[in-house]
Amino acid sequence: MREPIGKRAKLTDVIQVVGYKNSGKTTLVEHLVRTLTAAGLAVGTVKHDAHRFDVDREGTDTFRHREAGACMTAITSDCRTAFMEERPVPLEEIVRRMTDMDAVVVEGFKQDNYAKIVMLRTQEDEELLHRLTNVRAVVSWFPGAGGGGELPVFPLADADGLAKWVQANLLAQKP
């Protein structure tokens, strides 16, 4: 049985899911989170967004705090806590804040150097395999992807097989 969250001192396993827009990254991240959580792991997620976004809505108290100039705003209740910072935060720093997690599944951040699963929707997307670092597996929408057999290639429909492979090959601690 896993030690309760907060009682462990370890490095968190990080798995990146990368690919171009509409390649299925979010759906795969959801599946990995469900599978790893069902296996008894505490899983965190990080999503990269290339656009300006806002999780707060005009008129809320935290929105008013941010509008007043707060550099960091937090809100908490008996079931949830959220932090908002008015600055970009590198992935490495975000991961350091998630040390209580057994695994962190990251959607995006192609240029970071954690273990990557690359989503290939078209054959043109295969250039990612040569451009990115630390690629460990491929999920493909088409047969024959991955060129050369050096990497495990999973068909898009085999998310369960990929999740089992992730647990056996990318996670240091299993429950």
mmCIF file of all heavy atoms in Angstrom, residues 56-90:
data_model
loop_
_atom_site.group_PDB
_atom_site.id
_atom_site.type_symbol
_atom_site.label_atom_id
_atom_site.label_comp_id
_atom_site.label_asym_id
_atom_site.label_seq_id
_atom_site.Cartn_x
_atom_site.Cartn_y
_atom_site.Cartn_z
ATOM 1 N N ASP A 56 -10.214 32.674 -14.098
ATOM 2 C CA ASP A 56 -11.042 33.465 -13.208
ATOM 3 C C ASP A 56 -12.066 34.237 -14.029
ATOM 4 O O ASP A 56 -11.837 34.540 -15.186
ATOM 5 C CB ASP A 56 -10.144 34.446 -12.432
ATOM 6 C CG ASP A 56 -10.588 34.643 -11.004
ATOM 7 O OD1 ASP A 56 -11.669 34.175 -10.650
ATOM 8 O OD2 ASP A 56 -9.838 35.275 -10.252
ATOM 9 N N ARG A 57 -13.168 34.570 -13.446
ATOM 10 C CA ARG A 57 -14.215 35.313 -14.156
ATOM 11 C C ARG A 57 -14.375 36.701 -13.550
ATOM 12 O O ARG A 57 -14.277 36.885 -12.324
ATOM 13 C CB ARG A 57 -15.557 34.570 -14.082
ATOM 14 C CG ARG A 57 -15.513 33.192 -14.710
ATOM 15 C CD ARG A 57 -15.418 33.313 -16.227
ATOM 16 N NE ARG A 57 -15.369 32.005 -16.840
ATOM 17 C CZ ARG A 57 -14.330 31.537 -17.497
ATOM 18 N NH1 ARG A 57 -13.238 32.239 -17.614
ATOM 19 N NH2 ARG A 57 -14.358 30.350 -18.043
ATOM 20 N N GLU A 58 -14.662 37.651 -14.422
ATOM 21 C CA GLU A 58 -14.862 39.036 -13.972
ATOM 22 C C GLU A 58 -15.923 39.096 -12.881
ATOM 23 O O GLU A 58 -16.957 38.437 -12.969
ATOM 24 C CB GLU A 58 -15.291 39.899 -15.161
ATOM 25 C CG GLU A 58 -15.306 41.364 -14.833
ATOM 26 C CD GLU A 58 -15.553 42.228 -16.051
ATOM 27 O OE1 GLU A 58 -15.457 41.728 -17.189
ATOM 28 O OE2 GLU A 58 -15.838 43.415 -15.847
ATOM 29 N N GLY A 59 -15.604 39.853 -11.843
ATOM 30 C CA GLY A 59 -16.545 40.052 -10.754
ATOM 31 C C GLY A 59 -16.294 39.160 -9.550
ATOM 32 O O GLY A 59 -16.778 39.455 -8.456
ATOM 33 N N THR A 60 -15.555 38.040 -9.717
ATOM 34 C CA THR A 60 -15.272 37.201 -8.554
ATOM 35 C C THR A 60 -14.254 37.899 -7.665
ATOM 36 O O THR A 60 -13.513 38.787 -8.097
ATOM 37 C CB THR A 60 -14.725 35.818 -8.975
ATOM 38 O OG1 THR A 60 -13.472 35.996 -9.630
ATOM 39 C CG2 THR A 60 -15.705 35.078 -9.878
ATOM 40 N N ASP A 61 -14.191 37.482 -6.421
ATOM 41 C CA ASP A 61 -13.261 38.112 -5.482
ATOM 42 C C ASP A 61 -11.810 37.949 -5.942
ATOM 43 O O ASP A 61 -11.037 38.904 -5.895
ATOM 44 C CB ASP A 61 -13.429 37.521 -4.083
ATOM 45 C CG ASP A 61 -14.764 37.899 -3.454
ATOM 46 O OD1 ASP A 61 -15.454 38.787 -3.991
ATOM 47 O OD2 ASP A 61 -15.110 37.296 -2.424
ATOM 48 N N THR A 62 -11.452 36.735 -6.397
ATOM 49 C CA THR A 62 -10.064 36.533 -6.818
ATOM 50 C C THR A 62 -9.749 37.351 -8.071
ATOM 51 O O THR A 62 -8.635 37.851 -8.224
ATOM 52 C CB THR A 62 -9.772 35.035 -7.065
ATOM 53 O OG1 THR A 62 -10.754 34.508 -7.953
ATOM 54 C CG2 THR A 62 -9.775 34.259 -5.751
ATOM 55 N N PHE A 63 -10.703 37.502 -8.960
ATOM 56 C CA PHE A 63 -10.504 38.364 -10.127
ATOM 57 C C PHE A 63 -10.228 39.784 -9.670
ATOM 58 O O PHE A 63 -9.319 40.443 -10.178
ATOM 59 C CB PHE A 63 -11.743 38.326 -11.037
ATOM 60 C CG PHE A 63 -11.603 39.167 -12.275
ATOM 61 C CD1 PHE A 63 -11.080 38.617 -13.433
ATOM 62 C CD2 PHE A 63 -11.994 40.507 -12.290
ATOM 63 C CE1 PHE A 63 -10.944 39.385 -14.590
ATOM 64 C CE2 PHE A 63 -11.850 41.277 -13.429
ATOM 65 C CZ PHE A 63 -11.329 40.716 -14.583
ATOM 66 N N ARG A 64 -10.972 40.243 -8.703
ATOM 67 C CA ARG A 64 -10.779 41.604 -8.180
ATOM 68 C C ARG A 64 -9.408 41.739 -7.516
ATOM 69 O O ARG A 64 -8.752 42.765 -7.656
ATOM 70 C CB ARG A 64 -11.907 41.948 -7.214
ATOM 71 C CG ARG A 64 -13.248 42.104 -7.938
ATOM 72 C CD ARG A 64 -14.414 42.219 -7.000
ATOM 73 N NE ARG A 64 -14.273 43.381 -6.125
ATOM 74 C CZ ARG A 64 -15.061 43.612 -5.094
ATOM 75 N NH1 ARG A 64 -16.033 42.764 -4.798
ATOM 76 N NH2 ARG A 64 -14.885 44.682 -4.351
ATOM 77 N N HIS A 65 -8.946 40.697 -6.830
ATOM 78 C CA HIS A 65 -7.608 40.724 -6.224
ATOM 79 C C HIS A 65 -6.542 40.881 -7.311
ATOM 80 O O HIS A 65 -5.618 41.685 -7.182
ATOM 81 C CB HIS A 65 -7.322 39.428 -5.453
ATOM 82 C CG HIS A 65 -8.247 39.181 -4.311
ATOM 83 N ND1 HIS A 65 -8.184 38.035 -3.561
ATOM 84 C CD2 HIS A 65 -9.268 39.921 -3.779
ATOM 85 C CE1 HIS A 65 -9.114 38.058 -2.626
ATOM 86 N NE2 HIS A 65 -9.785 39.191 -2.741
ATOM 87 N N ARG A 66 -6.671 40.084 -8.378
ATOM 88 C CA ARG A 66 -5.702 40.147 -9.477
ATOM 89 C C ARG A 66 -5.756 41.499 -10.175
ATOM 90 O O ARG A 66 -4.722 42.077 -10.506
ATOM 91 C CB ARG A 66 -5.956 39.013 -10.472
ATOM 92 C CG ARG A 66 -5.594 37.648 -9.894
ATOM 93 C CD ARG A 66 -5.969 36.471 -10.787
ATOM 94 N NE ARG A 66 -5.557 36.644 -12.145
ATOM 95 C CZ ARG A 66 -6.383 36.535 -13.204
ATOM 96 N NH1 ARG A 66 -7.645 36.235 -13.019
ATOM 97 N NH2 ARG A 66 -5.930 36.707 -14.415
ATOM 98 N N GLU A 67 -6.943 42.008 -10.401
ATOM 99 C CA GLU A 67 -7.092 43.312 -11.042
ATOM 100 C C GLU A 67 -6.477 44.424 -10.191
ATOM 101 O O GLU A 67 -6.008 45.426 -10.709
ATOM 102 C CB GLU A 67 -8.569 43.622 -11.302
ATOM 103 C CG GLU A 67 -9.159 42.808 -12.431
ATOM 104 C CD GLU A 67 -8.569 43.185 -13.778
ATOM 105 O OE1 GLU A 67 -8.677 44.360 -14.171
ATOM 106 O OE2 GLU A 67 -7.995 42.287 -14.436
ATOM 107 N N ALA A 68 -6.469 44.226 -8.878
ATOM 108 C CA ALA A 68 -5.877 45.217 -7.972
ATOM 109 C C ALA A 68 -4.354 45.161 -7.993
ATOM 110 O O ALA A 68 -3.695 46.045 -7.455
ATOM 111 C CB ALA A 68 -6.392 44.998 -6.545
ATOM 112 N N GLY A 69 -3.784 44.114 -8.614
ATOM 113 C CA GLY A 69 -2.334 44.046 -8.752
ATOM 114 C C GLY A 69 -1.654 42.898 -8.046
ATOM 115 O O GLY A 69 -0.430 42.835 -8.026
ATOM 116 N N ALA A 70 -2.410 41.966 -7.465
ATOM 117 C CA ALA A 70 -1.790 40.831 -6.782
ATOM 118 C C ALA A 70 -0.967 40.025 -7.784
ATOM 119 O O ALA A 70 -1.440 39.719 -8.881
ATOM 120 C CB ALA A 70 -2.851 39.937 -6.153
ATOM 121 N N CYS A 71 0.267 39.670 -7.424
ATOM 122 C CA CYS A 71 1.138 38.858 -8.296
ATOM 123 C C CYS A 71 0.776 37.387 -8.209
ATOM 124 O O CYS A 71 1.031 36.621 -9.137
ATOM 125 C CB CYS A 71 2.599 39.037 -7.893
ATOM 126 S SG CYS A 71 3.193 40.689 -8.204
ATOM 127 N N MET A 72 0.237 36.951 -7.073
ATOM 128 C CA MET A 72 -0.219 35.587 -6.889
ATOM 129 C C MET A 72 -1.520 35.639 -6.113
ATOM 130 O O MET A 72 -1.647 36.392 -5.154
ATOM 131 C CB MET A 72 0.801 34.741 -6.126
ATOM 132 C CG MET A 72 0.339 33.304 -5.904
ATOM 133 S SD MET A 72 1.466 32.314 -4.903
ATOM 134 C CE MET A 72 2.631 31.822 -6.138
ATOM 135 N N THR A 73 -2.471 34.840 -6.554
ATOM 136 C CA THR A 73 -3.762 34.763 -5.882
ATOM 137 C C THR A 73 -4.087 33.307 -5.652
ATOM 138 O O THR A 73 -3.857 32.470 -6.533
ATOM 139 C CB THR A 73 -4.861 35.402 -6.759
ATOM 140 O OG1 THR A 73 -4.497 36.746 -7.045
ATOM 141 C CG2 THR A 73 -6.205 35.388 -6.069
ATOM 142 N N ALA A 74 -4.589 32.990 -4.500
ATOM 143 C CA ALA A 74 -5.011 31.620 -4.203
ATOM 144 C C ALA A 74 -6.443 31.663 -3.700
ATOM 145 O O ALA A 74 -6.880 32.631 -3.087
ATOM 146 C CB ALA A 74 -4.102 31.001 -3.148
ATOM 147 N N ILE A 75 -7.143 30.596 -3.989
ATOM 148 C CA ILE A 75 -8.485 30.422 -3.450
ATOM 149 C C ILE A 75 -8.579 28.989 -2.958
ATOM 150 O O ILE A 75 -8.057 28.068 -3.596
ATOM 151 C CB ILE A 75 -9.584 30.749 -4.490
ATOM 152 C CG1 ILE A 75 -10.964 30.637 -3.852
ATOM 153 C CG2 ILE A 75 -9.436 29.905 -5.729
ATOM 154 C CD1 ILE A 75 -12.080 31.197 -4.722
ATOM 155 N N THR A 76 -9.210 28.799 -1.826
ATOM 156 C CA THR A 76 -9.329 27.453 -1.279
ATOM 157 C C THR A 76 -10.700 27.267 -0.655
ATOM 158 O O THR A 76 -11.345 28.228 -0.231
ATOM 159 C CB THR A 76 -8.199 27.164 -0.264
ATOM 160 O OG1 THR A 76 -8.218 25.779 0.078
ATOM 161 C CG2 THR A 76 -8.322 28.016 0.975
ATOM 162 N N SER A 77 -11.155 26.041 -0.651
ATOM 163 C CA SER A 77 -12.404 25.674 0.000
ATOM 164 C C SER A 77 -12.165 24.349 0.693
ATOM 165 O O SER A 77 -11.035 23.865 0.744
ATOM 166 C CB SER A 77 -13.524 25.536 -1.038
ATOM 167 O OG SER A 77 -13.313 24.388 -1.838
ATOM 168 N N ASP A 78 -13.215 23.731 1.200
ATOM 169 C CA ASP A 78 -13.039 22.447 1.870
ATOM 170 C C ASP A 78 -12.759 21.304 0.894
ATOM 171 O O ASP A 78 -12.462 20.194 1.315
ATOM 172 C CB ASP A 78 -14.247 22.120 2.748
ATOM 173 C CG ASP A 78 -15.545 22.039 1.974
ATOM 174 O OD1 ASP A 78 -15.566 22.388 0.766
ATOM 175 O OD2 ASP A 78 -16.555 21.629 2.569
ATOM 176 N N CYS A 79 -12.807 21.568 -0.417
ATOM 177 C CA CYS A 79 -12.556 20.492 -1.377
ATOM 178 C C CYS A 79 -11.588 20.845 -2.507
ATOM 179 O O CYS A 79 -11.240 19.978 -3.298
ATOM 180 C CB CYS A 79 -13.875 20.000 -1.973
ATOM 181 S SG CYS A 79 -14.755 21.251 -2.902
ATOM 182 N N ARG A 80 -11.108 22.099 -2.602
ATOM 183 C CA ARG A 80 -10.275 22.467 -3.745
ATOM 184 C C ARG A 80 -9.446 23.697 -3.422
ATOM 185 O O ARG A 80 -9.883 24.570 -2.680
ATOM 186 C CB ARG A 80 -11.190 22.763 -4.931
ATOM 187 C CG ARG A 80 -10.517 23.148 -6.195
ATOM 188 C CD ARG A 80 -11.490 23.252 -7.361
ATOM 189 N NE ARG A 80 -12.020 21.920 -7.651
ATOM 190 C CZ ARG A 80 -13.319 21.635 -7.728
ATOM 191 N NH1 ARG A 80 -14.210 22.573 -7.576
ATOM 192 N NH2 ARG A 80 -13.711 20.414 -7.962
ATOM 193 N N THR A 81 -8.244 23.753 -4.021
ATOM 194 C CA THR A 81 -7.381 24.928 -3.916
ATOM 195 C C THR A 81 -6.830 25.242 -5.296
ATOM 196 O O THR A 81 -6.483 24.335 -6.046
ATOM 197 C CB THR A 81 -6.208 24.671 -2.951
ATOM 198 O OG1 THR A 81 -6.738 24.409 -1.653
ATOM 199 C CG2 THR A 81 -5.273 25.870 -2.871
ATOM 200 N N ALA A 82 -6.748 26.512 -5.634
ATOM 201 C CA ALA A 82 -6.160 26.937 -6.906
ATOM 202 C C ALA A 82 -5.249 28.127 -6.659
ATOM 203 O O ALA A 82 -5.550 28.986 -5.831
ATOM 204 C CB ALA A 82 -7.253 27.316 -7.901
ATOM 205 N N PHE A 83 -4.120 28.144 -7.375
ATOM 206 C CA PHE A 83 -3.188 29.262 -7.340
ATOM 207 C C PHE A 83 -3.141 29.885 -8.732
ATOM 208 O O PHE A 83 -3.118 29.165 -9.725
ATOM 209 C CB PHE A 83 -1.769 28.791 -6.989
ATOM 210 C CG PHE A 83 -1.610 28.345 -5.582
ATOM 211 C CD1 PHE A 83 -1.801 27.017 -5.240
ATOM 212 C CD2 PHE A 83 -1.261 29.242 -4.588
ATOM 213 C CE1 PHE A 83 -1.657 26.587 -3.936
ATOM 214 C CE2 PHE A 83 -1.104 28.825 -3.281
ATOM 215 C CZ PHE A 83 -1.309 27.499 -2.955
ATOM 216 N N MET A 84 -3.085 31.186 -8.794
ATOM 217 C CA MET A 84 -2.901 31.887 -10.063
ATOM 218 C C MET A 84 -1.754 32.860 -9.879
ATOM 219 O O MET A 84 -1.701 33.592 -8.894
ATOM 220 C CB MET A 84 -4.169 32.638 -10.447
ATOM 221 C CG MET A 84 -5.311 31.712 -10.812
ATOM 222 S SD MET A 84 -6.874 32.567 -10.968
ATOM 223 C CE MET A 84 -7.322 32.737 -9.246
ATOM 224 N N GLU A 85 -0.820 32.831 -10.813
ATOM 225 C CA GLU A 85 0.313 33.746 -10.783
ATOM 226 C C GLU A 85 0.310 34.579 -12.043
ATOM 227 O O GLU A 85 -0.030 34.090 -13.110
ATOM 228 C CB GLU A 85 1.632 32.976 -10.671
ATOM 229 C CG GLU A 85 1.827 32.308 -9.337
ATOM 230 C CD GLU A 85 3.222 31.745 -9.196
ATOM 231 O OE1 GLU A 85 4.190 32.517 -9.307
ATOM 232 O OE2 GLU A 85 3.318 30.527 -8.999
ATOM 233 N N GLU A 86 0.706 35.800 -11.906
ATOM 234 C CA GLU A 86 0.767 36.721 -13.038
ATOM 235 C C GLU A 86 2.174 36.711 -13.626
ATOM 236 O O GLU A 86 2.841 37.735 -13.687
ATOM 237 C CB GLU A 86 0.350 38.132 -12.586
ATOM 238 C CG GLU A 86 -1.064 38.217 -12.071
ATOM 239 C CD GLU A 86 -2.107 37.809 -13.102
ATOM 240 O OE1 GLU A 86 -1.971 38.166 -14.293
ATOM 241 O OE2 GLU A 86 -3.060 37.108 -12.715
ATOM 242 N N ARG A 87 2.622 35.517 -14.018
ATOM 243 C CA ARG A 87 3.909 35.343 -14.676
ATOM 244 C C ARG A 87 3.947 33.944 -15.271
ATOM 245 O O ARG A 87 3.257 33.041 -14.795
ATOM 246 C CB ARG A 87 5.073 35.503 -13.690
ATOM 247 C CG ARG A 87 5.138 34.377 -12.649
ATOM 248 C CD ARG A 87 6.305 34.527 -11.695
ATOM 249 N NE ARG A 87 6.342 33.432 -10.757
ATOM 250 C CZ ARG A 87 7.184 32.408 -10.808
ATOM 251 N NH1 ARG A 87 8.070 32.340 -11.771
ATOM 252 N NH2 ARG A 87 7.159 31.459 -9.903
ATOM 253 N N PRO A 88 4.729 33.756 -16.323
ATOM 254 C CA PRO A 88 4.890 32.388 -16.823
ATOM 255 C C PRO A 88 5.759 31.604 -15.845
ATOM 256 O O PRO A 88 6.666 32.163 -15.235
ATOM 257 C CB PRO A 88 5.597 32.586 -18.169
ATOM 258 C CG PRO A 88 6.277 33.905 -18.054
ATOM 259 C CD PRO A 88 5.467 34.733 -17.102
ATOM 260 N N VAL A 89 5.466 30.339 -15.683
ATOM 261 C CA VAL A 89 6.235 29.486 -14.776
ATOM 262 C C VAL A 89 6.791 28.321 -15.592
ATOM 263 O O VAL A 89 6.036 27.615 -16.267
ATOM 264 C CB VAL A 89 5.351 28.970 -13.615
ATOM 265 C CG1 VAL A 89 6.139 28.049 -12.703
ATOM 266 C CG2 VAL A 89 4.767 30.134 -12.829
ATOM 267 N N PRO A 90 8.110 28.105 -15.546
ATOM 268 C CA PRO A 90 8.694 26.978 -16.286
ATOM 269 C C PRO A 90 8.141 25.641 -15.792
ATOM 270 O O PRO A 90 7.834 25.483 -14.607
ATOM 271 C CB PRO A 90 10.188 27.084 -15.993
ATOM 272 C CG PRO A 90 10.413 28.457 -15.455
ATOM 273 C CD PRO A 90 9.115 28.882 -14.831
#
